[in-house]
Each structure stands twice: as structure tokens, then as C-alpha cells.
Amino acid sequence: MKYELVYKNGKFDKIEIESPDVLTEGAVRIRPTEVGICGSDLYSIEILPGTESLRPGHEWIGVVEESNSSSYQKGDIVTSPVSFGCQKCRSCYDGKPNNCLNNQSLGGKEIGALRNEIILQDQYLINLSHLNQEGLVLIEVAAVAEQAFLHMADLGLRAGKKDRVMIFGAGPVGLFCALKAKKEGLNYILVELDKKRIEIAKELGLNIIATGAALLKDDYHMSFDYIIDCSGDGNKKSGFWKYFLHFASVSSKLLVVGKYINEQKINSVLFTNRDVTIKWMRGLPKSVIEKAVVNWKEDLPDIGKSMITHEFSSVDVDKAFDIALRRENTGKVVVKI
Ligand SMILES: [Zn+2]
Ligand SMILES: [Zn+2]
């Protein structure tokens, strides 16, 4: 039976889906094999009204079962970006389908990657067949870090620059941002509360400090030129927003990657005095995943060993989300289909 896993009222249901016998021109039939649970899946669940249903899952890899495209053949390993883009709106015309105004994306109300069949047009796919599959499900997370650093470059950050960079939150996205900062030879520090995440960061050879210790350090006060906030405020945690002005230098640049459920305060006087620039990040185009493939393909198997802390079969999808939703003692939680 072809099915999808649909979330409603605190649990997943397995629901049969239609599977066309014949593929249209350019269509590719894929069996998703691994889906990583992302902070934004958790965010979508946490803000979901009890009466509505959701189809989580956008960090995925799968194997091609059948193809009506000359670019893909049976057995290929593929992934796709989260957002497909309508190809009609202004953002899509500008080459930014991740900012599509008619938001068509995986992990929302209509379609998610937690299913045993997905049919996508070849233009949305990325071929990963040449890569080692260990840790490959992390490719979208690596791409989020790539996208974050493109934004940071827009904000003035350059490789090898001596400016001080702080990364809030050592979940998978924060960890990849720190790995990227390390690769770029930046003067960075990662800040995290959770013991397990601190452990993972150390295993990956990253500069990391516990939040409490960072707040006590005199030379951290008002001294970071660039800050990437990968925290967010899920599971009643406060996130790092409230610490921003403590660490931000004058003319500091803040990129917000993590999602906040609650409204966060901006005190106009304080933020003005600090001459702050803030940017929010929304998604990423396919080209950035392709860039992540080039930059991270050799590292993913090792990174996966440290970062993927939990793997569940799709039968245990509820358990997988319960653990991920706690946002404690976890790195990446992966569901195998
Ligand atoms: Zn994600
Ligand atoms: Zn569009």
C-alpha cells in the first residue's frame, strides 16, 4: 500500500495515497528512505491548531523507483529542496523559489516527505547517487548553513575575517553553521545550554561554551560583530533572542535562522543605540543544496556519526517526534521509511 504519515491531534496516522500507474513527462516516482526531523517541523506541529492536520518532513533522501525523465533512472538516490516555487510569482521569476508567494513546499498542510512514494518533476530533484549514503540525510541541514553564510556575506562577513562571530544554539543547524565558520577560518564561538549538544559539538571539534559561562565572560560582553541565532523558542525554552544585546557589539549584524513561536521584544532605544542590523532567513533554493553537496560530501558520513543521535523506523514515527519535540539530549532524529 502507498501511504503518507499525517499528523493530527498529537499523533500520526498512516493514510493511503493514490499512486498513478503512468508517469507524466518529466515525472519521477521516488520511495523516500530517510527523513530528518527538523526544528521547523517541530515549530509547525507546535503552532498547529488541534483540528488541523499536517504533513511534516522536508529533509529527505529517497531512491528512484521509476522515471519518465532522461535525467534520472531507477535506483538513483535523490533529494529536493523544501520549496518548489510556483514559477509564476515575482520571487520565482527572481530565481528565489524559496521566497515563493504561493508557498508550495514539503512539510506543510498538503505534502510531506514521510510517505513511501512521492512523485516529483525532475526539475526539482538533485541526484545524489555518486555519494556515500551515510549521513546523506543531513544534506539539507548543511545547505541551511550554506544559505546562512550567504546571508552573512551580504551582511559583510568574509572568510578569514577577524571579526568575532557567535552562533546561538547547537542543534544540527547551529552545528553546521559552526562547522562552516571553522572551515572558513572565522573567529567563532558556539553557545548552547543542552549537555548532549555541547558533547556533540566537542566531538565535532568545534569551539563551544555553555550559555551560563558565556554570559559571565567579560570579553564576550558587547563584543560579537556577527551573530547567527539558530535557537528558537520551542518546547517552552526561551531561545537566545533575549541575550542578543548582551553579546552584540556596536553595529552588530544578527541573522535569525531558528524559529520563534512567541513574539520577541525589540526595544527601539536599545537596538538603535547599538546600531543593529537584523535579517530573517527563509528557506533556500536548489542551487544552495547543490553547493552543499560539493562542500560537504566528504564530511557527511563522519558528521552523521556524531550528529544523528536517534533513528526510528516509520512504525515508531510517534516516538521519533516525541523525542525530537522535547529538544533535549538530541542531535538529529531520523525516521527510516
Ligand atoms: Zn530543515
Ligand atoms: Zn512562486
Side-chain angles (χ1 to χ4, degrees):
M1 172 183 115
K2 302 297 181 207
Y3 66 86
E4 60 178 355
L5 297 170
V6 180
Y7 183 90
K8 191 176 181 182
N9 270 325
K11 65 176 183 57
F12 280 89
D13 287 314
K14 193 181 209 175
I15 296 188
E16 187 164 2
I17 51 172
E18 273 179 43
S19 171
D21 292 333
V22 181
L23 295 177
T24 55
E25 180 72 38
V28 182
R29 192 192 306 272
I30 306 149
R31 180 171 53 85
T33 51
E34 293 182 42
V35 179
I37 301 178
C38 175
S40 59
D41 291 318
L42 305 177
Y43 168 82
S44 301
I45 282 178
E46 283 174 321
I47 61 165
L48 187 73
T51 50
E52 288 180 26
S53 50
L54 185 77
R55 291 164 173 80
H58 61 268
E59 291 174 10
W60 70 288
I61 57 170
V63 57
V64 172
E65 305 249 276
E66 187 190 350
S67 170
N68 194 6
S69 156
S70 55
S71 312
Y72 293 90
Q73 47 182 299
K74 193 172 186 251
D76 282 348
I77 308 294
V78 294
T79 188
S80 75
V82 179
S83 311
F84 301 129
C86 66
Q87 321 296 335
K88 287 178 200 140
C89 74
R90 191 176 150 185
S91 296
C92 286
Y93 273 127
D94 286 349
K96 293 178 178 165
N98 50 307
N99 289 348
C100 177
L101 303 173
N102 306 308
N103 201 12
Q104 303 195 345
S105 52
L106 283 176
K109 300 250 156 83
E110 275 147 42
I111 186 168
L114 286 166
R115 45 174 50 225
N116 66 352
E117 176 171 295
I118 187 165
I119 294 170
L120 291 172
Q121 287 300 118
D122 54 1
Q123 74 200 81
Y124 300 126
L125 296 174
I126 298 158
N127 202 333
L128 305 172
S129 299
H130 56 298
L131 302 176
N132 181 336
Q133 279 186 59
E134 296 298 313
L136 200 52
V137 69
L138 294 173
I139 193 65
E140 199 258 352
V141 192
V144 171
E146 291 292 340
Q147 178 78 353
F149 274 78
L150 290 174
H151 285 300
M152 294 310 273
D154 284 347
L155 293 170
L157 184 62
R158 296 285 173 269
K161 224 174 161 183
K162 286 290 150 258
D163 292 335
R164 296 181 80 182
V165 180
M166 180 171 268
I167 299 160
F168 287 158
V173 170
L175 289 166
F176 264 104
C177 283
L179 286 164
K180 178 77 181 167
K182 187 181 175 187
K183 265 194 189 194
E184 302 268 299
L186 294 166
N187 179 9
Y188 77 94
I189 185 78
L190 182 56
V191 188
E192 171 63 49
L193 276 167
D194 186 77
K195 280 199 182 114
K196 176 69 188 170
R197 292 185 165 184
I198 291 174
E199 212 176 275
I200 297 171
K202 285 184 179 162
E203 235 177 81
L204 290 168
L206 297 169
N207 304 333
I208 184 150
I209 186 167
T211 312
L215 286 165
L216 291 173
K217 268 178 90 85
D218 283 345
D219 65 331
Y220 276 23
H221 185 228
M222 283 179 64
S223 54
F224 287 86
D225 309 291
Y226 294 89
I227 296 178
I228 308 177
D229 182 3
C230 303
S231 64
D233 63 350
N235 193 22
K236 301 183 182 72
K237 295 187 184 339
S238 65
F240 279 88
W241 182 272
K242 62 182 179 187
Y243 301 131
F244 174 58
L245 287 180
H246 177 88
F247 293 115
S249 69
V250 175
S251 300
S252 180
K253 314 284 193 288
L254 170 66
L255 178 70
V256 185
V257 181
K259 289 204 162 100
Y260 282 89
I261 293 166
N262 299 297
E263 286 182 20
Q264 302 299 313
K265 281 191 189 133
I266 293 181
N267 179 311
S268 176
V269 175
L270 296 178
F271 276 71
T272 304
N273 283 345
R274 203 65 65 80
D275 185 35
V276 165
T277 305
I278 307 176
K279 188 170 198 322
W280 276 266
M281 177 167 136
R282 176 183 165 179
L284 49 101
K286 181 180 160 183
S287 59
V288 175
I289 299 185
E290 287 162 342
K291 186 176 174 186
V293 169
V294 173
N295 288 350
W296 296 94
K297 60 184 176 203
E298 268 114 48
D299 310 319
L300 284 177
D302 274 345
I303 294 173
K305 271 180 209 135
S306 303
M307 210 181 279
I308 299 173
T309 53
H310 297 76
E311 288 180 330
F312 290 90
S313 86
S314 57
V315 182
D316 290 323
V317 66
D318 285 316
K319 268 189 215 158
F321 274 80
D322 281 349
I323 283 187
L325 279 162
R326 271 182 241 153
R327 291 181 169 84
E328 267 169 18
N329 293 315
T330 55
K332 179 60 74 184
V333 180
V334 172
V335 179
K336 297 200 164 189
I337 295 168

